[in-house]
């Protein structure tokens, strides 16, 4: 990305000694730098509380993700030499003024001093950091852009998300804000837009007349790991559903946007989120199931009587003309058999069957399976004649496998934030509408109507009751293998 030599782009990572910065952001920036994708005069500032000097921090980065850097020693040195480390508290105005003075000294004489502040911080620090940045005059766009990247979770429910939005909006404009949902940075998630709106053959079928139901599964083999203290208060609904699963649902269910620009896309997603039925407590309990993997309660930071769900399945309805009455089954869980994110669209059975009943066992409904990760592919399941003397159907797959080696989601998102393209970031209203969908389930689970918390063994597909939840006549599509 070329810019004039009269401009500088400074990327400041707050929380630079944390896992996200070391494992994801630094390797992503390094790769973007090594392929010349960033502005020509781009500087990196790592800001955190620990008292490192530049060299110690650079070494720390290298050691954490050496695989990402060691193949190109020259590029690494060039990149590393541009990283400055500053220690301080992100919500301390004096520390921020020091940072500001340093950037100003570095950009003296230039026409533009553009900045991206990446808040790779604990969510409890978002508000105070943005407020301190404002107080230090660092959000003012007189001499260049000032963009803020905010990680998830954004709030813990509708009320807190609203408060946070209001508070941030009193200091920064919405177009300065880039709220991350890293799923939107995945190529296969973006492909949903191309697949749906670049082809004409599926659109006439993409509605209640032809579709029986939709499944969205985000399954993880990893357990909670060392994030138990966070997870215990979050649980799977807040951690995964409010963000990733609802964003996938919105992309599958939205109307065609007028353009692919940020607000066009986000308007359509917001309309879908707004159309998702809000259940009362009884309905929320009936339309959900929750589970917890065995051993979760033994983790440090977890109560021995914890009722935190590490698995959930929801049945959601989108109340609009396109989707009325069609269930969207969403499920996600930790410590499951394998990692897999997949969207499955199951079409209706033919209205009249001409095959003998005994021959129909092979007749499966048409299905479109969109595998987001890890074996990125699209499979269309159709019925063909089984070879042989009889007229017997047999399910077969037409498949397209995405090429291997796709870019990490964070690379795409960092690049877009630098370029000021917010299409793949969630807008304030989307965040609030998503919490409005999730809150009734969280509340129902905390009430006396709470359905049972089913234990499940690690390495399985979750609680057995999840199969009854989707039945009769429907079953979860699990990845093969
Ligand atoms: C994060 C959640 O947002 O997404 C984690 O906080 C989860 O709990 C992760 O493990 C999953 O992301 P991915 O890209 O590995 O599917």
């Amino acid at each position: 990305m070329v810019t004039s030599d009269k401009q500088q782009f400074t990327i400041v990572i707050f929380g630079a000694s944390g896992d996200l910065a070391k494992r994801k952001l630094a390797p992503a920036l390094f790769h973007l730098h090594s392929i010349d994708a960033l502005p020509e005069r781009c500087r990196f500032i790592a800001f955190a509380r620990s008292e490192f000097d530049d060299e110690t921090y650079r070494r720390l980065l290298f050691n954490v993700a050496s695989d990402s850097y060691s193949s190109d020693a020259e590029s690494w040195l060039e990149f590393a030499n541009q990283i400055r480390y500053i220690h301080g508290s992100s919500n301390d105005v004096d520390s921020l003024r020091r940072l500001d003075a340093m950037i100003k000294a570095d950009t003296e004489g230039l026409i533009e001093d553009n900045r991206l502040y990446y808040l790779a911080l604990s969510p409890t620090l978002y508000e105070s950091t943005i407020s301190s940045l404002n107080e230090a005059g660092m959000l003012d766009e007189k001499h260049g852009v000032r963009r803020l990247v905010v990680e998830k979770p954004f709030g813990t429910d509708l009320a807190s998300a609203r408060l946070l939005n209001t508070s941030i909006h009193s200091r920064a404009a919405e177009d300065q804000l880039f709220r991350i949902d890293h799923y939107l940075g995945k190529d296969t998630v973006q492909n949903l837009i191309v697949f749906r709106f670049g082809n004409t053959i599926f659109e006439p079928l993409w509605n209640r007349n032809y579709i029986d139901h939709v499944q969205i599964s985000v399954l993880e083999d990893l357990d909670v790991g060392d994030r138990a203290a966070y997870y215990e208060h979050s649980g799977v609904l807040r951690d995964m559903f409010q963000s990733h699963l609802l964003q996938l649902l919105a992309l599958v269910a939205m109307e065609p946007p007028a353009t692919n620009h940020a607000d066009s896309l986000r308007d359509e997603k917001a309309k879908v989120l707004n159309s998702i039925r809000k259940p009362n407590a009884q309905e929320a309990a009936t339309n959900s199931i929750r589970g917890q993997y065995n051993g979760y309660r033994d983790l440090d930071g977890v109560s021995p009587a914890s009722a935190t769900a590490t698995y959930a399945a929801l049945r959601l309805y989108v109340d609009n003309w396109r989707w009325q009455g069609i269930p969207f089954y969403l499920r996600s869980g930790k410590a499951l058999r394998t990692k897999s994110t997949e969207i499955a669209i199951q079409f209706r059975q033919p209205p009249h069957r001409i095959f003998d009943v005994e021959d129909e066992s092979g007749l499966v409904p048409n299905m479109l399976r969109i595998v987001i990760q890890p074996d990125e592919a699209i499979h269309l399941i159709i019925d063909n004649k089984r070879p042989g003397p009889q007229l017997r159907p047999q399910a077969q797959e037409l498949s397209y496998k995405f090429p291997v080696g796709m870019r990490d989601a964070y690379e795409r998102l960092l690049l877009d934030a630098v370029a000021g393209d917010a299409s793949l970031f969630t807008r304030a209203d989307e965040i609030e509408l998503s919490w409005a969908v999730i809150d009734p389930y969280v509340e129902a689970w905390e009430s006396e109507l709470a359905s049972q918390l089913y234990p499940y063994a690690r390495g399985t597909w979750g609680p057995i009751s999840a199969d009854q939840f989707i039945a009769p006549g429907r079953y979860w599509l699990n990845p093969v293998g």
Side-chain angles (χ1 to χ4, degrees):
M1 193 186 280
V2 180
T3 44
S4 114
D5 58 0
K6 294 284 175 217
Q7 308 177 339
Q8 173 165 309
F9 211 104
T10 310
I11 300 178
V12 183
I13 311 281
F14 290 104
S17 56
D19 249 21
L20 177 68
K22 290 184 299 196
R23 288 184 198 287
K24 290 281 183 189
L25 303 181
L29 286 171
F30 165 72
H31 189 241
L32 290 173
H33 170 82
S34 62
I35 57 169
D36 280 336
L38 292 169
E40 205 176 318
R41 193 183 157 112
C42 193
R43 300 284 180 269
F44 309 101
I45 299 184
F47 187 103
R49 259 196 274 240
S50 324
E51 295 200 14
F52 300 131
D53 56 29
D54 290 349
E55 209 35 57
T56 315
Y57 181 72
R58 292 169 188 163
R59 236 177 301 123
L60 183 75
L61 280 190
F62 189 86
N63 291 340
V64 168
S66 52
D67 283 358
S68 315
Y69 311 118
S70 43
S71 60
D72 191 345
E74 204 178 313
S75 276
W76 160 252
L77 281 179
E78 202 182 284
F79 172 70
N81 285 336
Q82 290 185 23
I83 304 175
R84 298 284 309 273
Y85 182 85
I86 299 201
H87 74 89
S89 301
S90 64
N91 53 2
D92 169 48
V93 181
D94 289 339
S95 306
L96 294 178
R97 289 206 169 109
R98 250 188 318 120
L99 167 67
D100 191 42
M102 199 190 107
I103 303 176
K104 280 185 175 144
D106 200 27
T107 53
E108 214 184 314
L110 300 181
I111 297 170
E112 278 181 39
D113 157 16
N114 297 311
R115 303 182 193 178
L116 182 80
Y117 304 126
Y118 198 117
L119 274 51
L121 296 164
S122 152
T124 53
L125 292 171
Y126 294 162
E127 195 178 357
S128 55
T129 299
I130 294 173
S131 153
S132 304
L133 280 166
N134 183 49
E135 207 180 321
M138 293 169 73
L139 296 178
D140 187 305
E141 296 200 289
K142 247 192 298 199
H143 300 292
V145 298
R146 300 286 184 268
R147 301 197 176 114
L148 281 160
V149 180
V150 185
E151 268 292 331
K152 71 170 263 287
F154 194 93
T156 52
D157 57 12
L158 175 58
S160 59
R162 263 194 192 141
L163 278 178
L164 190 54
N165 272 329
T166 310
S167 159
I168 295 179
H169 284 154
S170 69
R171 286 149 184 138
E174 178 64 25
D175 65 7
Q176 289 179 271
L177 290 166
F178 293 77
R179 297 179 193 77
I180 291 259
D181 182 324
H182 78 277
Y183 267 54
L184 297 179
K186 293 181 194 278
D187 255 353
T188 39
V189 173
Q190 289 156 38
N191 184 54
L192 287 170
I193 301 171
V194 177
F195 184 81
R196 283 201 57 202
F197 306 122
N199 296 302
T200 49
I201 58 171
F202 292 107
E203 178 53 24
L205 313 178
W206 210 261
N207 57 53
R208 64 192 301 276
N209 299 324
Y210 292 94
I211 289 177
D212 175 81
H213 75 280
V214 176
Q215 288 182 28
I216 300 178
S217 302
V218 183
L219 314 176
E220 293 189 272
D221 52 349
L222 290 181
D223 58 19
V224 168
D226 53 12
R227 296 165 74 222
Y230 148 78
Y231 199 87
E232 176 67 349
H233 298 288
S234 158
V236 67
L237 285 183
R238 290 188 174 105
D239 186 48
M240 298 296 286
F241 281 71
Q242 184 271 340
S243 47
H244 311 322
L245 280 97
L246 285 184
Q247 283 293 321
L248 293 178
L249 184 154
L251 288 168
V252 168
M254 73 182 184
E255 294 302 313
T259 69
N260 67 0
H261 294 139
D263 274 332
S264 240
L265 280 168
R266 301 192 296 180
D267 285 348
E268 295 306 333
K269 282 195 286 158
K271 278 190 224 163
V272 173
L273 294 168
N274 199 23
S275 306
I276 298 176
R277 192 178 301 168
K278 313 293 175 305
N280 61 33
Q282 182 61 64
E283 289 161 347
T286 315
N287 285 307
S288 65
I289 179 166
R290 57 197 186 121
Q292 187 186 68
Y293 67 81
N294 294 336
Y296 172 75
R297 291 179 184 177
D298 303 333
L299 296 175
D300 268 356
V302 171
S303 147
S306 170
T308 298
T310 60
Y311 175 99
L314 303 185
R315 181 169 34 235
L316 300 181
Y317 290 93
V318 178
D319 284 334
N320 62 18
W321 273 47
R322 190 188 281 267
W323 296 114
Q324 187 55 237
I326 304 305
F328 283 73
Y329 288 97
L330 273 55
R331 68 174 166 154
S332 182
K334 297 249 184 234
L336 300 176
R337 187 176 303 174
T338 187
K339 180 176 178 71
S340 163
T341 301
E342 177 173 330
I343 297 167
I345 317 283
Q346 185 173 316
F347 293 90
R348 290 188 189 279
Q349 291 279 14
H352 171 61
R353 302 182 190 186
I354 59 169
F355 309 106
D356 290 343
V357 175
E358 58 191 308
D359 290 333
E360 282 185 7
S361 54
L363 192 65
V364 300
N366 293 133
M367 250 181 283
L368 186 62
R369 301 183 68 163
I370 304 174
V371 185
I372 304 289
Q373 61 182 12
D375 300 317
E376 295 87 352
I378 293 191
H379 308 284
L380 180 63
I381 320 295
I382 53 168
D383 287 288
N384 272 324
K385 182 184 171 300
R386 190 187 294 259
Q390 290 147 329
L391 202 56
R392 297 179 70 185
Q394 182 180 31
Q396 282 168 342
E397 261 183 29
L398 301 177
S399 297
Y400 168 73
K401 291 195 193 329
F402 287 86
V404 284
M406 281 181 297
R407 291 262 196 96
D408 179 75
Y410 277 97
E411 281 187 31
R412 172 66 198 267
L413 295 174
L414 279 161
L415 209 50
D416 281 6
V418 167
D421 180 352
S423 318
L424 302 178
F425 296 84
T426 38
R427 206 170 52 186
D429 55 343
E430 284 181 84
I431 292 274
E432 292 179 16
L433 290 166
S434 303
W435 280 121
V437 171
I438 294 306
D439 279 1
Y441 295 92
V442 174
E443 282 159 24
W445 288 1
E446 283 167 3
S447 77
E448 72 272 9
L449 286 167
S451 50
Q452 199 181 327
L453 177 67
Y454 294 101
Y456 62 94
R458 303 168 66 106
T460 63
W461 296 120
I464 293 159
S465 314
D467 295 340
Q468 285 135 31
F469 176 73
I470 195 171
R474 294 175 182 139
Y475 56 92
W476 295 112
L477 291 161
N478 291 324
V480 185

